[in-house]
């Protein structure tokens, strides 16, 4: 297997883009990434998206976005794995390079969630759950995560405020990210005053409905001589791993443990020859506060029921032991579902190439991203290394 390197990234600001179509957002992100990489062309394009068919009546995004970005004729396809679609697309891109199929490819994640009635969007997001076992009984995706959070709090004798340090940290970082949807810090008082969405989940426990597109360029080692000569920054992909669990939460052996996160992270650690303590920062899938905690525990960064202690003690800040959600995460940067996994890798690349601005993690050499589909049914983990 060949080494894969990320050599350029692009992104749109996350938010509500009434004036931009999905194809325009995606094309802009791809074009920005190609410009950043100094690439005039690519051989493949892999697009992460979850809901364009349901919400926008548009499928076939691989060809659509390739055409919009001036790349007509290349290999292109769409990856769908619910909220983990972006991570799946990144994995396709890495595998295309590692296998020798291509020497340079683009990966794009894009989602437009604000163009439809919120009730339709909510119904679409519920498709990440098991329809027969969960959604058909009227359980929305937020309600499903509320049940998970309630059980988690019960299991470990916690209160909602114990998990509030995750969104507080995310908003602190998002306030310093010009591409974040929410660029305002919050505190515990703000958290307590935020409305309850589905008890015990408050507004500040949940990621927002939004639009966005992010892209990156991946190449093989054969291209590295010219990249090094150009002086452009790059990062090596040390690991790309995926794992699955049952889509229905009640079918899992231990609902309070993300088995797919555990398997995906352990496969990634094995590929990279690393252990959890070797990771310098973690871009977690903090779509809900409880998911941030469960991810930290499944990946080996904290013991069962102990993740909140890391957050409360400041260990997940950009100056802490394991900086997390360094550009705001899903909570503050925003969660355009099919694009999220690509945003995570883009942000990890920016950290590793010292381009993260006010949110820069000092001496960041190894970064990990984890993108979750559904409530833990599909999990893609990537580990990146600083190279220059």
């Amino acid at each position: 297997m060949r080494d894969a390197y990320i050599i350029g990234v692009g992104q749109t600001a996350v938010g509500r883009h009434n004036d931009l179509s999905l194809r325009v957002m995606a094309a802009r992100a791809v074009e920005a990434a190609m410009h950043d990489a100094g690439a005039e062309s690519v051989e493949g394009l892999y697009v992460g998206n979850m809901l364009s068919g349901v919400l926008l009546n548009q499928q076939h995004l691989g060809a659509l976005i390739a055409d919009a970005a001036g790349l007509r004729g290349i290999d292109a396809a769409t990856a769908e794995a619910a909220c983990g679609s972006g991570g799946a697309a990144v994995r396709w891109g890495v595998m295309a390079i590692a296998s020798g199929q291509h020497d340079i490819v683009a990966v794009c994640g894009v989602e437009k969630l604000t163009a439809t009635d919120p009730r339709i969007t909510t119904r679409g997001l519920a498709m990440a759950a098991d329809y027969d076992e969960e959604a058909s009984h009227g359980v929305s995706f937020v309600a499903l995560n509320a049940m998970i959070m309630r059980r988690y709090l019960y299991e470990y004798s916690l209160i909602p405020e114990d998990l509030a340090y995750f969104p507080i940290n995310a908003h602190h970082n998002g306030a310093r990210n010009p591409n974040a949807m929410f660029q305002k810090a919050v505190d515990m008082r703000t958290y307590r005053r935020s409305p309850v969405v589905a008890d015990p989940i408050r507004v500040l426990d949940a990621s927002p409905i939004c639009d966005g597109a992010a892209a990156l360029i991946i190449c093989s080692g054969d291209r590295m001589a010219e990249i090094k000569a150009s002086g452009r920054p790059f990062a090596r992909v040390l690991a790309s791993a995926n794992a699955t669990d049952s889509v229905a939460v009640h079918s899992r052996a231990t609902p309070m443990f993300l088995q797919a996160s555990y398997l995906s992270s352990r496969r990634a650690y094995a590929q990279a020859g690393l252990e959890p303590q070797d990771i310098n920062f973690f871009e977690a899938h903090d779509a809900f506060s409880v998911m941030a905690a469960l991810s930290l525990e499944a990946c080996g960064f904290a013991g069962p029921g102990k993740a909140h202690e890391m957050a409360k003690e400041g260990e997940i800040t950009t100056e802490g032991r394991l900086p997390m959600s360094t550009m705001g995460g899903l909570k503050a940067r925003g969660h355009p579902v099919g694009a999220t996994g690509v945003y995570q890798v883009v942000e990890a690349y920016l950290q590793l190439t010292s381009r993260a601005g006010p949110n820069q993690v000092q001496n960041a050499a190894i970064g990990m991203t984890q993108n979750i589909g559904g409530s833990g049914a599909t999990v893609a983990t990537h580990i990146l290394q600083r190279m220059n």
Side-chain angles (χ1 to χ4, degrees):
M1 300 290 281
R2 302 190 304 174
D3 288 338
Y5 299 87
I6 299 176
I7 60 172
V9 298
Q11 60 183 307
T12 67
V14 178
R16 195 178 180 93
H17 294 301
N18 297 329
D19 57 335
L20 296 177
S21 68
L22 178 141
R23 81 174 77 191
V24 169
M25 283 195 302
R28 287 186 180 180
V30 171
E31 290 163 358
M34 292 179 64
H35 177 76
D36 191 45
E40 296 183 359
S41 64
V42 294
E43 298 165 2
L45 169 65
Y46 306 103
V47 179
N49 178 269
M50 178 185 174
L51 290 171
S52 66
V54 174
L55 302 184
L56 304 176
N57 300 308
Q58 180 66 65
Q59 297 280 40
H60 212 173
L61 296 189
L64 186 82
I65 294 167
D67 188 26
L71 300 171
R72 188 183 299 183
I74 66 169
D75 172 22
T78 309
E80 187 279 314
C83 324
S85 299
V90 174
R91 183 156 162 74
W92 284 12
V94 171
M95 289 193 294
I97 297 299
S99 68
Q101 186 68 40
H102 294 309
D103 282 324
I104 184 167
V105 301
V107 175
C108 176
V110 62
E111 203 77 65
K112 191 168 179 66
L113 300 176
T114 67
T116 45
D117 185 300
R119 292 170 297 182
I120 297 174
T121 304
T122 298
R123 191 179 305 129
L125 291 170
M127 295 170 66
D130 186 315
Y131 180 77
D132 290 338
E133 301 292 335
E134 295 170 333
S136 66
H137 299 285
V139 180
S140 71
F141 201 59
V142 176
L144 187 63
N145 279 274
M147 287 189 281
I148 294 171
M149 182 171 170
R150 178 174 291 280
R151 185 66 190 184
Y152 182 87
L153 297 177
Y154 171 79
E155 289 281 349
Y156 300 113
S157 301
L158 303 176
I159 60 175
E161 284 81 353
D162 287 321
L163 300 183
Y165 295 96
F166 291 110
I168 289 172
N169 174 70
H171 276 266
H172 173 77
N173 295 339
R176 302 179 296 182
N177 176 8
N179 290 305
M181 183 172 186
F182 299 127
Q183 297 177 32
K184 183 177 180 180
V186 301
D187 56 18
M188 185 62 76
R189 182 170 180 268
T190 311
Y191 174 84
R192 290 187 177 121
R193 296 178 64 181
S194 64
V196 173
V197 180
D199 192 26
I201 289 178
R202 295 181 177 275
V203 165
L204 284 178
D205 286 307
S207 53
I209 299 295
C210 51
D211 311 326
L216 51 91
I217 306 299
I218 310 174
C219 76
S220 68
D222 295 343
R223 295 270 184 145
M224 293 316 296
E226 62 183 86
I227 297 298
K228 290 177 181 178
S230 72
R232 294 178 183 276
F234 60 96
R236 180 185 173 195
V237 180
L238 289 181
S240 176
N242 192 59
T244 57
D245 200 348
S246 67
V247 176
V249 175
H250 68 77
S251 296
R252 297 174 190 168
T254 308
M256 288 300 100
F257 185 75
L258 294 179
Q259 180 70 7
S261 290
Y262 171 83
L263 293 173
S264 180
S265 64
R266 292 318 184 276
R267 290 167 187 171
Y269 294 146
Q271 287 178 30
L274 300 172
E275 298 293 337
Q277 60 266 27
D278 298 317
I279 304 300
N280 298 136
F281 65 93
F282 181 39
E283 300 302 338
H285 192 96
D286 55 345
F288 296 93
S289 299
V290 68
M291 281 294 155
L294 290 172
S295 295
L296 284 171
E297 293 165 15
C299 292
F301 298 124
K306 300 296 184 181
H308 71 284
E309 295 178 2
M310 289 180 63
K312 186 175 183 179
E313 293 168 9
E315 294 185 18
I316 65 170
T317 68
T318 51
E319 298 81 27
R321 176 173 65 88
L322 183 71
M324 184 175 124
S325 304
T326 65
M327 303 298 280
L330 284 63
K331 178 62 196 74
R333 177 243 295 130
H335 182 27
V337 288
T340 288
V342 184
Y343 272 101
Q344 291 177 315
V345 177
V346 165
E347 291 162 354
Y349 168 86
L350 292 176
Q351 287 288 358
L352 295 170
T353 55
S354 300
R355 299 166 65 190
N359 289 342
Q360 183 65 51
V361 173
Q362 297 303 310
N363 302 313
I366 304 289
M368 186 166 103
T369 71
Q370 191 167 87
N371 188 202
I372 299 178
S375 54
T378 301
V379 181
T381 304
H382 289 89
I383 298 177
L384 278 61
Q385 179 186 31
R386 183 179 67 206
M387 295 300 293
N388 56 351

